[in-house]
Amino acid sequence: MRPEVTDLEIRLLLEAIYERFHYDFRQYAIASIRRRLIQALTAMHCESISALQARILHDERAFPRLLAYLTIQVTDLFRDPEFFLALRQHVVPILATYPSLKLWIAGCSTGEEAYSFAILLAEEGLLDRTLIYATDINDDSLRKAQTGVYALDRLRQFILNYRAAGGTGSLSDYYHADQDNAVMAPELRRRITFADHSLATDSIFSEVQLVSCRNVLIYFDRELQDRALGLFADALCPRGFLCLGTKESIRFSAQAPRFNPMSVGPKIFRRVD
Amino acid sequence: MAARSTTASTSDARFDAVVVGGSAGALEVLRQILRTMPATTAVPVVVVLHLPPRPPEGLPELLARDCLLAVQQAEDKEPLQPGVVYLAPPGYHLLIESHRAFALSVDDPVHFSRPSIDVLFQSARDTYGGRLLAMLLSGASADGAAGLHEVAAVGGITIVQSPAASEAAAMPSAALALFKPTYVWTPAEMTKELPSLFAVRSSMLGSPA
Ligand SMILES: C[S@@+](CC[C@H](N)C(=O)[O-])C[C@H]1O[C@@H](n2cnc3c(N)ncnc32)[C@H](O)[C@@H]1O
């Protein structure tokens, strides 16, 4: 059976992490955090949350290990292909009317989502006038994203997704493969700026026409979701686009009045004027 | 025996939520179980079924057809309402937070499954403690056994579909290998016995708080 871990112990640990390392998990959905902390206890051979807390405060190699548990890095190229298909059909034609474009991928993990946008925009002839800001709080992931190197055994799924997302060419146009890896094309990489940015503590940095923040908000509590959605509304130009994960909604958010849902199925919203 | 108190409230009944898990062979049993729940059911019912990665649309509608309760897919941050049957969305873990609202996650699969029954049961146990009715149905993996065990360990009511009467016995057998649940029932026994469990629960809430 799992060790008993109370809400209070978790809150104290998250408070300590914030004070010492300035990572702010205090407003994350606690049920998921509890699962990950229990996994971390086992992996790091700690008996209790207080033992874990003592460890990260005294052993400087311990916190990066814990951080890997606290931020989940599950992602894919063209994850949820029907979303990218809807984007291509209903959003890209409107984006094409802007002389220059800035996109913000918030919570980009190891970069797959940012490369998916870059590929799609390249195929629609818009990449040359686009800048993509892709941000995350996990530095390891950002480094991987920057190199754009993915294990070859993931290619099969990548290709299936690319086709289902309405890809017009061949995915091999966008990477070159060596022995073990697929390396994303430099033309894509050049248009993407990967940067450290927290939706919990940082503020906006640029006006953008589109924000994509997918499968990140589910890990936040309602107040932190409100904060993030507020940042997106502030960063977006009037009528700018907000893309959320397939099962994410603004329904329970105080920021809901600032967005209108588009009627195209997947979770795409537009900022009201 | 004392007359029924007019202050009877949720605290008098034995459970504040129902959680159900199953995989292969569980859908039909689930339909039968839902049919036994009266319209006055005063607790939320939360279900994780393992389904193919792209399951057919309209499962909530299918289940609602012969059930008196509203059946819907759970949404992130949605507060749990009594008398509603919630299904985990395909591809996401479904968790219950301590303030009794749902949270979704795309964390790694557990026992190769997302949604995972263990994830639901364990978070339900963290929230409701022993005030749970948890059912584990037919299925082909060990998912759910550990979670059900935890519910039993804090005094929740646990029901396991009898392996002999399950299309796939692995899931119920995994639970029985860990502990002795409150009941081991065939689908027919469930249909027969569940109404009394639910009757207690709904009459309790029937009185003004
Ligand atoms: C499950 S991944 C989603 C990746 C990608 N958007 C997708 O949908 O495939 C969640 C990401 O959110 C990041 N994240 C968590 N908290 C964050 C925060 N406060 N600010 C920015 N990113 C955060 C995590 O590091 C992780 O990379």
Side-chain angles (χ1 to χ4, degrees):
Chain A
M1 250 179 272
R2 297 171 306 155
E4 189 81 36
V5 173
T6 65
D7 279 20
L8 180 64
E9 287 174 292
I10 296 176
R11 292 199 186 286
L12 291 174
L13 174 70
L14 299 181
E15 198 61 52
I17 289 174
Y18 178 62
E19 266 180 30
R20 175 73 168 73
F21 302 101
H22 311 295
Y23 279 92
D24 193 354
F25 295 105
R26 295 174 300 171
Q27 292 185 291
Y28 280 45
I30 239 173
S32 285
I33 292 274
R34 175 182 285 106
R35 288 199 70 81
R36 316 263 196 68
L37 285 177
I38 289 173
Q39 289 166 6
L41 286 182
T42 315
M44 296 171 73
H45 308 291
C46 292
E47 292 258 299
S48 64
I49 295 292
S50 41
L52 181 65
Q53 180 159 329
R55 172 85 79 80
I56 58 166
L57 294 178
H58 298 118
D59 171 359
E60 60 183 37
R61 288 160 311 174
F63 182 64
R65 282 192 72 192
L66 179 60
L67 193 60
Y69 284 93
L70 290 175
T71 62
I72 269 315
Q73 305 298 320
V74 181
T75 186
D76 206 350
L77 203 73
F78 292 101
R79 176 187 208 157
D80 304 317
E82 39 321 330
F83 159 72
F84 285 96
L85 188 62
L87 195 75
R88 195 186 282 267
Q89 290 169 341
H90 304 285
V91 175
V92 164
I94 305 173
L95 290 180
T97 63
Y98 290 95
S100 73
L101 284 171
K102 286 180 182 167
L103 274 52
W104 177 16
I105 316 294
C108 67
S109 189
T110 38
E112 289 86 333
E113 186 182 359
Y115 288 109
S116 307
F117 270 89
I119 292 170
L120 193 153
L121 292 172
E123 293 190 338
E124 301 294 329
L126 297 178
L127 189 61
D128 292 342
R129 50 173 137 138
T130 301
L131 259 182
I132 299 176
Y133 301 105
T135 60
D136 205 284
I137 56 169
N138 186 310
D139 292 331
D140 275 345
S141 294
L142 286 169
R143 269 191 295 274
K144 284 185 195 143
Q146 182 69 50
T147 60
V149 174
Y150 302 110
L152 273 188
D153 60 13
R154 298 183 61 196
L155 261 186
R156 221 181 85 82
Q157 188 63 44
F158 283 5
I159 290 168
L160 286 175
N161 288 353
Y162 167 76
R163 292 209 187 111
T168 56
S170 158
L171 189 61
S172 58
D173 301 342
Y174 304 103
Y175 65 84
H176 80 87
D178 65 22
Q179 201 98 70
D180 314 295
N181 296 301
V183 186
M184 302 313 284
E187 304 84 78
L188 303 177
R189 243 181 305 158
R190 263 202 298 276
R191 313 305 309 183
I192 310 175
T193 302
F194 290 101
D196 190 328
H197 179 279
S198 171
L199 296 169
T201 51
D202 292 324
S203 39
I204 59 173
F205 47 86
S206 170
E207 186 182 71
V208 297
Q209 283 76 40
L210 181 147
V211 172
S212 182
C213 182
R214 313 188 66 237
N215 304 303
V216 181
L217 296 184
I218 45 177
Y219 292 110
F220 295 176
D221 75 10
R222 262 162 82 166
E223 288 69 37
L224 187 53
Q225 286 191 347
D226 284 348
R227 182 186 200 276
L229 288 166
L231 290 182
F232 301 153
D234 291 343
L236 282 169
C237 65
R239 318 266 301 135
F241 296 92
L242 171 67
C243 309
L244 299 181
T246 317
K247 294 297 169 196
E248 289 170 320
S249 78
I250 56 170
R251 213 177 111 196
F252 304 104
S253 167
Q255 298 288 333
R258 301 181 72 184
F259 298 97
N260 285 325
M262 282 182 84
S263 57
V264 293
K267 294 290 169 57
I268 306 177
F269 304 81
R270 295 190 79 173
R271 202 195 101 156
V272 299
D273 298 306
Chain B
M1 211 193 118
R4 203 174 92 198
S5 156
T6 49
T7 55
S9 70
T10 47
S11 60
D12 295 333
R14 290 164 68 201
F15 52 92
D16 294 336
V18 177
V19 290
V20 187
S23 71
L27 184 57
E28 190 45 44
V29 187
L30 176 65
R31 290 177 76 171
Q32 291 171 27
I33 290 173
L34 293 183
R35 240 176 258 150
T36 66
M37 297 186 182
T40 51
T41 301
V43 295
V45 179
V46 189
V47 180
V48 165
L49 274 187
H50 296 166
L51 295 164
R54 306 217 166 263
E57 294 283 315
L59 184 60
E61 292 75 13
L62 175 83
L63 290 171
R65 220 177 287 156
D66 34 27
C67 167
L68 295 168
L69 307 177
V71 182
Q72 58 199 50
Q73 209 174 70
E75 281 196 46
D76 185 49
K77 303 294 167 290
E78 181 175 15
L80 281 77
Q81 302 285 349
V84 178
V85 178
Y86 297 96
L87 306 179
Y92 291 77
H93 290 307
L94 180 61
L95 302 97
I96 303 173
E97 293 280 359
S98 50
H99 55 282
R100 305 189 174 189
F102 288 115
L104 301 179
S105 104
V106 289
D107 285 18
D108 288 324
V110 173
H111 291 290
F112 307 101
S113 297
R114 195 178 57 212
S116 142
I117 303 166
D118 275 339
V119 171
L120 172 67
F121 283 7
Q122 288 171 339
S123 71
R125 175 245 171 250
D126 292 336
T127 295
Y128 293 98
R131 304 189 53 75
L132 271 175
L133 172 62
M135 297 189 241
L136 192 63
L137 308 179
S138 171
S141 85
D143 188 24
L148 196 73
H149 187 193
E150 289 194 27
V151 173
V154 292
I157 307 171
T158 51
I159 302 174
V160 173
Q161 186 174 345
S162 68
S166 296
E167 212 173 290
M171 192 173 277
S173 300
L176 297 182
L178 285 179
F179 71 106
K180 192 173 170 306
T182 323
Y183 306 107
V184 180
W185 280 341
T186 64
E189 285 166 331
M190 290 184 197
T191 321
K192 187 159 148 275
E193 304 292 344
L194 281 174
S196 57
L197 278 180
F198 282 106
V200 174
R201 192 57 190 83
S202 49
S203 68
M204 285 296 190
L205 260 203
S207 42

